[in-house]
Amino acid sequence: MPAISSQGYLPVTDDSKLDPITSIPGHPPLLPKDLPSFFQDADFSNYMYNFKLRPFQRLQEAKSILINTFDDLERDVLKALNDDKINLFAAGPFLPPALLSKEDSRDNRTGTGLWPEDQECITWLENQKESSVLCISFGSIASLSDIQFKELVLGLEASQKPILWAIRPNLKDSIESVLPKSFLESDHVYLTSWVPQTLILSHKSVKILQIRC
């Protein structure tokens, strides 16, 4: 982030959206218009832009960096970053004890939750067929317009799949106001605010996960 910012790619402007970024180690050419949404603001005073930029600026002061990943997943990027004289170590994956020991499936401690997690959704999943549930989460930042939500709901209804949809608390009421009553009251739809993500990902009922961060 600091590098491509100093090279003039950030923040993204109408004139720079289609200029390929070719200087990211281990990464193929990337269009600025495909960067996260908070880069699209042409104002350096943008809160999210600076919130994300500052930690990466501080990383340049570090002697070593640990990343929650592993070599088989991101070998090319890790090699490129180390070749770029960054003393970087793949220290992951960091997972809840339950997924490593297979002892108590309720032990989902990761220390990364922003809101209390809804454990009842796991009970709901237990009553669904294996590999049948479509899980949707838009993370803690992304948002959609009312029209986009309505179009998404049409697609979800057409899928005829059981749906587990995690909608963060500050959006839940406004989203429910634009969703059709038939969708909200369906036995095949479970809406909640925050979920134990790793337990859901590893659940036998879940087949498809779609995340936009």
Side-chain angles (χ1 to χ4, degrees), residues 67 69-71 74-82 88 90:
I67 296 184
T69 187
F70 53 97
D71 191 67
E74 299 183 283
R75 181 175 291 113
D76 291 343
V77 175
L78 291 168
K79 182 179 184 302
L81 288 172
N82 276 307
L88 184 147

Side-chain angles (χ1 to χ4, degrees), residues 21-208:
I21 302 172
T22 58
S23 56
I24 302 176
H27 201 290
L30 176 69
L31 294 179
K33 71 180 183 68
D34 294 324
L35 290 168
S37 58
F38 46 83
F39 286 136
Q40 307 302 322
D41 197 316
D43 183 359
F44 273 107
S45 65
N46 177 272
Y47 170 77
M48 284 306 302
Y49 175 84
N50 285 285
F51 178 78
K52 291 291 186 180
L53 182 62
R54 279 195 295 270
F56 288 99
Q57 291 173 324
R58 293 297 306 276
L59 280 177
Q60 298 176 88
E61 304 171 16
K63 294 182 179 179
S64 299
I65 301 171
L66 305 180
I67 296 184
N68 182 14
T69 187
F70 53 97
D71 191 67
D72 285 346
L73 181 65
E74 299 183 283
R75 181 175 291 113
D76 291 343
V77 175
L78 291 168
K79 182 179 184 302
L81 288 172
N82 276 307
D83 288 347
D84 203 37
K85 297 183 172 56
I86 297 175
N87 196 19
L88 184 147
F89 299 94
F94 300 142
L95 298 170
L99 295 183
L100 298 175
S101 66
K102 300 186 182 299
E103 292 178 359
D104 186 352
S105 62
R106 296 168 298 175
D107 190 351
N108 186 43
R109 294 168 297 173
T110 59
T112 58
L114 298 179
W115 292 284
E117 295 172 340
D118 176 11
Q119 299 294 331
E120 292 300 318
C121 65
I122 302 298
T123 303
W124 181 83
L125 284 174
E126 292 291 343
N127 294 319
Q128 308 305 317
K129 294 180 180 178
E130 186 171 344
S131 299
S132 67
V133 177
L134 172 62
C135 288
I136 306 170
S137 169
F138 292 99
S140 55
I141 297 175
S143 60
L144 297 181
S145 67
D146 289 354
I147 293 176
Q148 289 172 320
F149 270 111
K150 289 177 181 178
E151 290 296 321
L152 177 59
V153 169
L154 288 175
L156 294 174
E157 287 185 312
S159 74
Q160 298 184 331
K161 297 279 188 181
I163 297 162
L164 173 59
W165 194 346
I167 304 172
R168 61 185 183 271
N170 61 320
L171 291 180
K172 195 168 186 291
D173 290 342
S174 59
I175 289 171
E176 289 182 347
S177 68
V178 302
L179 297 178
K181 188 175 181 180
S182 59
F183 182 86
L184 291 171
E185 295 180 352
S186 171
D187 291 337
H188 297 293
V189 177
Y190 191 103
L191 296 181
T192 187
S193 296
W194 205 253
V195 297
Q197 183 174 315
T198 48
L199 294 185
I200 288 176
L201 285 170
S202 61
H203 198 281
K204 64 181 180 180
S205 295
V206 174
K207 182 178 183 181
I208 306 171

